[in-house]
Amino acid sequence: MATFLTYTALGLVLGAVYAIAASGLVLTYNTSGIFNFAHGAQAMIGAFTFYQLDVAWELPTWLALALVLGVLGPAMGLAQHSLIMRGLR
């Protein structure tokens, strides 16, 4: 029973990640008309930055998470909007 619950929880998390990625692809395509696969690259930048802050530089986990989600994520969104999306109008 423990194995079933473990795989169920892991499957729900993985399914949620796939759903978020798919909805991001659909939203980007519907708004701009361009099929953009950069969502995976942006997630990779966030994951690598979190690893660098948390493991390599030994910041507390909560601080590394706050920096990645509160600073890096909005900065990447702003940069993508100002450099790429604004010109598509």
Side-chain angles (χ1 to χ4, degrees), residues 21-49:
S23 64
L25 287 172
V26 169
L27 177 69
T28 304
Y29 181 73
N30 283 337
T31 56
S32 67
I34 295 172
F35 203 58
N36 184 6
F37 286 107
H39 293 92
Q42 291 176 351
M44 182 190 68
I45 289 171
F48 285 170
T49 304

Side-chain angles (χ1 to χ4, degrees), residues 1-80:
M1 186 66 175
T3 304
F4 173 74
L5 292 176
T6 301
Y7 284 121
T8 301
L10 291 174
L12 288 173
V13 169
L14 187 61
V17 169
Y18 286 152
I20 291 171
S23 64
L25 287 172
V26 169
L27 177 69
T28 304
Y29 181 73
N30 283 337
T31 56
S32 67
I34 295 172
F35 203 58
N36 184 6
F37 286 107
H39 293 92
Q42 291 176 351
M44 182 190 68
I45 289 171
F48 285 170
T49 304
F50 176 77
Y51 177 82
Q52 181 70 28
L53 293 173
D54 188 39
V55 175
W57 293 350
E58 298 178 354
L59 287 177
T61 302
W62 65 269
L63 181 60
L65 186 64
L67 287 173
V68 168
L69 294 179
V71 177
L72 181 67
M76 286 191 323
L78 181 65
Q80 182 179 9

